[in-house]
Amino acid sequence: MSFTGAARPVRMGLAGIVFMGVLVGASATPAGSQERETLQVTAVSSRPGVVSGNDALIRVTAPASIAAGSIRVEVAGRDVTSSFRPSGDNTVMGVVKELSTGDNLLTATAQGADAGQLTLKNHPITGPVFAGPHEQPFICDTAEFKTATGVTLGPPTDEDCSVETRVDYMYRTTAGKFVALPDTAERPADLATATTSAGNKVPYIVRVETGTINRGIYETAVLHDPLSPAPDPLERGPGWNGRLVYGFGGGCNGGWYVQGRNTVGIMNDTYLSKGYGVASSSLNVFGNNCNDVLAAETMSMVKERFVETYGEPAFTIGNGCSGGSYQTHQIADNYPGLLDGILSGCSFPDVGFGTIQTLSDAQLLNHYFKNVAPDAFTQEQQRAVSGFGKWESIGSLARAAGRIDPTVYCPAQLPVAQRYHPVTNPDGARCDVYSHAVNVYGEVPETGKARRPLDNTGIQYGLEALNNGTIGIDQFIDLNRRIGGLDDDAKPAAQRTAADLKAVRLAYRTGRLLNGGAGLADIPIIDYRDYTDDAATGDMHMRFHSFSTRARLDKANGTHANQVMLTRSSGHGFTLAGMVADMDKWLTGIKGDPGADAPIEKIVRNRPQGLNDACWTRGIGATKISEPQVEGIGNTECNTLYPVWTSPRMVAGADVANDIVKCRKRPVVSTDYQVPVTDAQLKELTGIFPYGVCDWSVPGAGQQAPMGTWLSFDAVTG
């Protein structure tokens, strides 16, 4: 496998960022120099190396002495000056169209200045751009996808699941419902009025665009009166407040080989009533696509389309829960510039490690307790070994571990004849997270299966439960002797699971294991959670995952001052409208901060008053408890209401960061155990762990910083 990418960027505040642009030429002439100044050329709609769909919004800025009207622009020798209009005294902007696939050299000239140049690398609107070769098979869902108006998109027009782009208009009734606008030339009697965050009162009519980008189905929505001129990227309409909210959907079970029949939804009154633009794609719903690189690529392309249609957002807010939280975290960190602030709900740091390691451990424990030693542990002992708040969570998480099994969660759309079966169809499509990420990890040459960064060697399951007297030494020994691991198809096996070291290194180097030290370090984060650790049937959305992300921020940056953590129960407490307003105020303050301070200083300085770590009391009429959110059970008011339970690896000695894929080993020592251990028992443990036990005090095997951001997975070599 090969990949290319940018080195970690020098951090800039929002006020200094031109979205994904590259500046060409000097910005000023040194004092006393006789050299002419150079035209500055910037790609506005995307980074210049990831242009898609044959067009790009471009800005050209001239020195103060040169009028904008004198600027001429060419692409590959073709005059495109007519596509540009003045956008300020010394600036022109325009959408350059009919770009060729591959490199396109754009040149801007003006008398009295040196030419500015920018190479735009254009990719097909069907992709790929940087996520690597398209996954096959791929099932089209356009005939099942329903637009905001309730009609389906119809059959695809090509093998990439494409359809013609369509524009529909919806309106909000005075009764509070969205319905299709029956006639764009007339105003319904029950049409509501919206007041945007900019104070503009406009008819509550929404322009909805639906189409296909990167083989996914995308939707965008903006307040726009059809009786007014068409959207113009150089002239913002009164209904759009200049901000974009990008929605990310949850899931992961079955999130492969399909286009998807839904986005996260764009007809959201909380956003639209205030004038926010809204966008989402079916490939940004992890129930359809559980690959964060493909999700980032799709978001990049859809946002590019939005910018070319409506103009450059002042900032973009990402919002998603569960599988949506994976995307907000990893896209922000690994592809900085796409998101300026995130609302991360019911969160996990990432899917491949923050989630999978806990699920796979739960699967092994569940198998041991049910099938290997069904009468050896009480329910409370089992719960203590797991670290979870509820015993039921062991079985619940074990079932969710099916996402690493290639046979369990194949999507219904995928024909059975195309699915992997170890005996009858060994070359079929494998429905698991590792096969879905093969462009990152590559394949094992001997088997053709995706390399797997999954490991439980050296883990002393139940160590804390032993040391606090909840389980006995003989139980501890038997558990660790017979818990075993998961084979290539994620079925229980006698031997512990040993990770592919190449995959482990790639997980760290490429950001598949969230680091938090790249783009995520420089943006504000609101981590919000409805507490479910005490759900009667068990639940995987455990509170400690928020602290995993916080710990990674601390490790990478020495601070988590850009993350605010909010917890409530059953929907009583914070609101989406309140969080969006707070994030808007936060980002507006950062963007308007003229100082040259580091981003984290601007983030801290501009955090809105009253936006701080907090939880809310349970039930109707919940009240806010403002206090730093920390790990623990009963050690604070919030932790009394909402205990922060742990995980099997934390019970075994790992820290909450959950960022070690394969632990380094040290010899078994008697001081590990705070209970009497005989020489014979110590010998047994040494035999169980012939290569030693996990040394959680040192970095894991292959653990390293990411190699950069905006990586491109353009080829797979195994």
Side-chain angles (χ1 to χ4, degrees):
M1 183 194 67
S2 66
F3 40 73
T4 58
R8 177 171 172 170
V10 176
R11 296 179 183 163
M12 301 170 61
L14 287 178
I17 290 178
V18 175
F19 166 66
M20 307 311 295
V22 168
L23 195 63
V24 177
S27 59
T29 302
S33 171
Q34 298 303 309
E35 295 181 6
R36 299 196 307 174
E37 292 182 286
T38 303
L39 297 179
Q40 300 171 357
V41 184
T42 306
V44 178
S45 51
S46 72
R47 287 171 63 98
V50 296
V51 173
S52 64
N54 307 329
D55 51 13
L57 179 60
I58 302 296
R59 176 187 291 116
V60 181
T61 303
S65 60
I66 295 174
S70 67
I71 297 172
R72 296 292 178 265
V73 186
E74 293 184 349
V75 174
R78 172 170 57 95
D79 191 330
V80 294
T81 305
S82 61
S83 299
F84 287 77
R85 304 202 313 267
S87 179
D89 292 339
N90 306 100
T91 300
V92 296
M93 291 182 66
V95 176
V96 177
K97 300 183 178 181
E98 299 179 4
L99 296 173
S100 302
T101 300
D103 290 345
N104 297 259
L105 180 63
L106 185 148
T107 303
T109 59
Q111 188 173 1
D114 287 336
Q117 291 189 324
L118 184 65
T119 297
L120 305 172
K121 187 172 184 179
N122 177 52
H123 304 77
I125 196 64
T126 55
V129 178
F130 54 78
H134 279 155
E135 181 176 64
Q136 296 295 342
F138 192 77
I139 310 301
C140 301
D141 281 319
T142 55
E144 303 296 331
F145 185 96
K146 289 190 176 181
T147 69
T149 61
V151 302
T152 60
L153 293 176
T157 59
D158 59 28
E159 62 182 9
D160 289 314
C161 304
S162 304
V163 295
E164 292 294 323
T165 302
R166 60 179 291 152
V167 173
D168 296 291
Y169 280 91
M170 303 284 289
Y171 79 98
R172 184 83 167 175
T173 69
T174 51
K177 295 182 179 181
F178 285 113
V179 297
L181 186 67
D183 187 340
T184 58
E186 295 185 6
R187 301 285 177 83
D190 61 347
L191 172 63
T193 298
T195 303
T196 73
S197 62
N200 296 330
K201 291 184 179 295
V202 296
Y204 202 153
I205 301 175
V206 184
R207 182 184 187 272
V208 177
E209 182 174 301
T210 311
T212 48
I213 290 177
N214 204 27
R215 303 199 303 175
I217 301 169
Y218 78 94
E219 296 180 296
T220 62
V222 174
L223 286 177
H224 178 261
D225 188 341
L227 297 179
S228 64
D232 185 339
L234 273 65
E235 188 172 346
R236 183 187 303 167
W240 183 39
N241 68 2
R243 290 100 163 97
L244 173 62
V245 177
Y246 202 100
F248 300 96
C252 189
N253 300 347
W256 24 77
Y257 305 114
V258 296
Q259 184 180 38
R261 299 176 179 179
N262 63 300
T263 72
V264 76
I266 43 104
M267 300 308 298
N268 187 312
D269 179 61
T270 297
Y271 305 143
L272 293 170
S273 64
K274 296 300 181 183
Y276 290 91
V278 187
S280 188
S281 167
S282 61
L283 294 184
N284 288 119
V285 176
F286 262 26
N288 304 321
N289 159 53
C290 194
N291 176 337
D292 71 281
V293 180
L294 181 58
E297 178 180 75
T298 302
M299 191 232 158
S300 174
M301 297 171 73
V302 172
K303 181 173 180 178
E304 177 185 2
R305 168 68 182 176
F306 182 94
V307 174
E308 291 163 357
T309 304
Y310 295 104
E312 181 182 13
F315 45 75
T316 301
I317 300 170
N319 182 28
C321 174
S322 189
S325 75
Y326 304 137
Q327 298 176 74
T328 61
H329 285 144
Q330 292 190 276
I331 291 174
D333 207 35
N334 298 321
Y335 296 91
L338 289 177
L339 295 171
D340 299 304
I342 62 173
L343 308 176
S344 185
C346 41
S347 73
F348 305 84
D350 50 52
V351 64
F353 307 94
T355 303
I356 292 300
Q357 291 185 159
T358 303
L359 299 185
S360 62
D361 288 338
Q363 181 181 356
L364 292 172
L365 290 174
N366 192 62
H367 175 72
Y368 173 83
F369 292 141
K370 283 191 170 184
N371 302 306
V372 178
D375 300 315
F377 289 71
T378 66
Q379 284 191 4
E380 174 54 26
Q381 288 175 327
Q382 293 175 26
R383 188 208 61 76
V385 168
S386 75
F388 305 148
K390 296 283 288 187
W391 170 81
E392 289 81 2
S393 290
I394 301 173
S396 175
L397 271 67
R399 290 186 291 274
R403 64 193 66 190
I404 65 173
D405 186 318
T407 64
V408 172
Y409 286 132
C410 287
Q413 299 99 304
L414 183 66
V416 173
Q418 296 186 38
R419 303 180 188 181
Y420 167 82
H421 186 280
V423 177
T424 61
N425 193 16
D427 296 324
R430 293 171 60 86
C431 301
D432 65 279
V433 292
Y434 304 118
S435 300
H436 197 44
V438 70
N439 287 351
V440 176
Y441 296 125
E443 296 178 345
V444 178
E446 295 80 9
T447 66
K449 297 176 181 178
R451 297 182 184 276
R452 197 172 62 161
L454 183 67
D455 196 284
N456 75 329
T457 60
I459 295 177
Q460 298 191 79
Y461 288 102
L463 180 61
E464 182 183 342
L466 169 69
N467 286 333
N468 65 23
T470 304
I471 65 173
I473 185 65
D474 290 333
Q475 290 174 300
F476 175 77
I477 289 172
D478 188 71
L479 169 63
N480 283 285
R481 179 193 295 115
R482 296 203 286 165
I483 192 169
L486 300 170
D487 67 16
D488 287 349
D489 287 347
K491 300 299 191 291
Q495 298 299 314
R496 296 276 184 123
T497 308
D500 183 301
L501 277 173
K502 182 173 183 179
V504 172
R505 289 190 289 269
L506 287 169
Y508 290 115
R509 295 182 70 202
T510 68
R512 306 287 64 76
L513 187 149
L514 181 74
N515 177 269
L520 199 63
D522 294 343
I523 68 169
I525 304 164
I526 298 178
D527 181 296
Y528 64 96
R529 181 176 300 278
D530 276 291
Y531 189 75
T532 60
D533 288 46
D534 55 0
T537 57
D539 193 281
M540 64 186 289
H541 301 90
M542 297 175 176
R543 194 174 176 220
F544 80 84
H545 289 294
S546 291
F547 291 95
S548 294
T549 302
R550 176 164 286 190
R552 296 189 196 182
L553 290 170
D554 284 333
K555 285 187 176 185
N557 311 309
T559 181
H560 60 262
N562 59 321
Q563 184 203 46
V564 171
M565 195 180 295
L566 309 176
T567 304
R568 68 180 183 181
S569 174
S570 304
H572 301 295
F574 57 80
T575 64
L576 175 60
M579 289 190 296
V580 171
D582 279 338
M583 181 58 75
D584 190 314
K585 188 180 298 183
W586 204 350
L587 290 169
T588 299
I590 295 168
K591 187 177 178 66
D593 193 324
D597 294 330
I600 189 63
E601 295 181 34
K602 292 188 177 184
I603 289 171
V604 172
R605 184 160 58 236
N606 290 284
R607 189 178 69 197
Q609 186 175 5
L611 178 60
N612 46 38
D613 276 10
C615 70
W616 277 256
T617 56
R618 292 174 179 260
I620 297 173
T623 59
K624 184 179 181 180
I625 301 172
S626 293
E627 64 181 19
Q629 300 298 286
V630 296
E631 299 171 68
I633 299 171
N635 54 328
T636 66
E637 286 190 73
C638 288
N639 289 353
T640 299
L641 286 166
Y642 307 111
V644 184
W645 298 96
T646 59
S647 71
R649 295 197 181 201
M650 293 168 69
V651 173
D655 68 26
V656 71
N658 201 12
D659 60 351
I660 291 178
V661 181
K662 183 180 181 67
C663 68
R664 295 188 185 276
K665 312 299 190 294
R666 58 165 176 76
V668 175
V669 292
S670 60
T671 52
D672 278 348
Y673 315 112
Q674 298 171 22
V675 298
V677 178
T678 67
D679 290 344
Q681 290 168 334
L682 196 62
K683 184 176 181 181
E684 277 192 86
L685 287 166
T686 302
I688 291 169
F689 299 104
Y691 303 106
V693 295
C694 288
D695 184 352
W696 300 109
S697 68
V698 298
Q703 190 165 4
Q704 58 195 282
M707 65 182 296
T709 60
W710 282 91
L711 302 183
S712 178
F713 302 87
D714 53 10
V716 177
T717 58

